[in-house]
Amino acid sequence: MHVRLTTCRGASVVDRGGEFLGTLSGVFLHPDTGKVEGIFVAVPAGLTGTEHPFCAVEDIIHWGAVVQISGRDALAPLEDRIRLAPVIASGRTVLGQPIRTESGRALGTCKDVQFDTEKMRVEWLFPKKFFRWGVALPVTDIIEVRKDAIIIRDGMKAQAEPAVEKEPVSYEAFSEIVGQQPTRGKIAS
């Protein structure tokens, strides 16, 4: 299933038995591989607080209308994931990062991503500039994810093609185009 983060943020996260654990609050994306490493779950803490523990992708059982994980014990602080420590320390994020082309043109800030819930790979970035969404960018165009920006390959220059005037197709020309005789008012068998 292909989903955008903004459409599934707030989805219920449940354990194997269906017990409600919290709501999906975000994803952690690996800046080099484009892999979704896991999700953050908003869990009520105390009377007015909320914690956002991390759940690794290996502990996600099913992703549908609700996200089902192996259990409450799969939730832990992101910093506890030793394998992800170098990625966290590098400070290179995808969401919230400015997006620029190779030539330096600002395309906006990455405010949303689309990913495949079966392969857990990011497919598209969605930049936003001020209050307007920009053109969706495929991850295949990413050159590098730096600490200060995501660098995207410069796009192909749009080439203006001369407009070609075409003759309208008439009903009489139908037989020439399709190779059948026109039938007026009758259903062809």
Side-chain angles (χ1 to χ4, degrees):
M1 181 165 69
H2 306 275
V3 296
R4 283 182 65 172
L5 176 60
T6 53
T7 59
C8 48
R9 192 176 278 146
S12 296
V13 177
V14 298
D15 65 6
R16 286 183 197 267
E19 180 186 343
F20 177 79
L21 300 175
T23 58
L24 180 80
S25 62
V27 294
F28 184 78
L29 307 172
H30 196 291
D32 295 328
T33 63
K35 183 180 178 215
V36 176
E37 293 288 346
I39 61 172
F40 293 101
V41 181
V43 178
L47 295 175
T48 58
T50 304
E51 293 178 346
H52 296 271
F54 178 77
C55 175
V57 73
E58 294 84 16
D59 292 315
I60 298 173
I61 297 169
H62 175 74
W63 194 302
V66 299
V67 179
Q68 186 179 32
I69 64 172
S70 59
R72 187 174 298 278
D73 58 335
L75 300 175
L78 178 61
E79 296 76 24
D80 288 358
R81 301 290 173 168
I82 296 170
R83 183 178 62 81
L84 298 176
V87 178
I88 298 166
S90 73
R92 297 178 304 132
T93 60
V94 176
L95 289 166
Q97 192 75 280
I99 302 174
R100 291 194 316 247
T101 62
E102 290 175 283
S103 59
R105 193 177 101 211
L107 300 176
T109 303
C110 183
K111 292 293 186 180
D112 196 7
V113 292
Q114 177 180 311
F115 57 95
D116 182 355
T117 59
E118 290 179 24
K119 296 177 185 169
M120 290 306 218
R121 296 251 180 229
V122 176
E123 299 170 331
W124 295 89
L125 303 179
F126 294 89
K128 198 170 190 181
K129 200 171 192 179
F130 300 109
F131 298 105
R132 297 183 63 145
W133 287 100
V135 175
L137 304 165
V139 294
T140 54
D141 284 354
I142 296 175
I143 296 172
E144 180 182 14
V145 178
R146 297 183 192 160
K147 212 174 192 179
D148 62 332
I150 299 170
I151 308 301
I152 300 290
R153 187 174 294 118
D154 281 323
M156 298 288 290
K157 301 286 186 235
Q159 297 176 351
E161 294 183 19
V164 177
E165 194 83 29
K166 294 185 179 180
E167 291 292 321
V169 177
S170 67
Y171 185 75
E172 285 73 28
F174 180 77
S175 60
E176 295 172 18
I177 296 169
V178 179
Q180 297 177 352
Q181 289 296 325
T183 56
R184 291 186 187 207
K186 292 192 275 181
I187 298 176
S189 54

